[in-house]
Amino acid sequence: MAAGPKPNCLFCQIARSSTSTTLLHTDDKVVAFQDINPSAFRHYLIIPVKHVSTVKDLQRNTEDFNLVSHMLNVGQDLVHRDAPESKEYKFGFHRPPFNSVDHLHLHCFALPFIPRWKHVKYMSMGPLGGFIEAEKLLQTIKP
């Protein structure tokens, strides 16, 4: 699943605190920060410290399942803490070829999307890929 840090990977640099990005959460497995181009009232990214390229690199095993579960728990805690008044939240991952960065990252939203049309970027496209909800991904990699 995981590889060592990739020198040219921006998210690996963020995970190692090698950038000026403000971290909202950090532990031995993940870091969290605000998306630089937010699509919603609150839009955070949760990334693993270890380099995992995409959801396609995740396997049906305990290690990957626990990592994604932890990413989701951290994301839920952050958006619920920072936007308790929001009535809807969304958590998920882009699937290749629709991911913008080849380092696994969980999008965490307190909705609404801003502007409203941004929701299109976070829709499932069925067998073509697109966006996969975190809970659905967890079902597919559950050991």
Side-chain angles (χ1 to χ4, degrees):
M1 168 195 73
K6 304 275 184 190
N8 296 328
C9 174
L10 175 61
F11 284 4
C12 282
Q13 294 170 16
I14 291 171
R16 291 189 318 271
S17 299
S18 300
T19 70
S20 61
T21 302
T22 301
L23 300 180
L24 304 172
H25 171 92
T26 183
D27 62 37
D28 62 327
K29 292 182 177 125
V30 302
V31 298
F33 52 95
Q34 291 186 34
D35 191 292
I36 61 168
N37 189 18
S39 296
F41 174 61
R42 293 283 184 277
H43 184 176
Y44 301 150
L45 299 178
I46 314 300
I47 64 171
V49 171
K50 292 182 179 178
H51 186 85
V52 178
S53 292
T54 73
V55 295
K56 291 193 175 207
D57 295 298
L58 298 170
Q59 303 295 314
R60 185 182 290 269
N61 63 45
T62 303
E63 182 183 2
D64 289 358
F65 181 83
N66 289 344
L67 173 63
V68 173
S69 293
H70 182 62
M71 292 171 74
L72 179 57
N73 289 336
V74 168
Q76 288 172 331
D77 288 349
L78 285 173
V79 295
H80 285 104
R81 179 196 73 195
D82 294 348
E85 68 281 7
S86 187
K87 292 183 178 21
E88 189 177 357
Y89 304 92
K90 186 172 183 132
F91 305 90
F93 300 85
H94 286 291
R95 292 180 283 190
F98 299 98
N99 54 311
S100 56
V101 177
D102 278 336
H103 186 118
L104 187 68
H105 53 285
L106 172 65
H107 290 270
C108 306
F109 302 102
L111 300 178
F113 285 109
I114 301 171
R116 300 291 287 159
W117 63 266
K118 288 259 186 156
H119 79 280
V120 173
K121 287 177 61 177
Y122 306 98
M123 294 173 54
S124 173
M125 300 175 92
L128 298 176
F131 196 74
I132 183 170
E133 300 277 342
E135 291 290 347
K136 185 170 184 175
L137 176 62
L138 282 169
Q139 290 173 9
T140 66
I141 63 171
K142 187 173 183 174

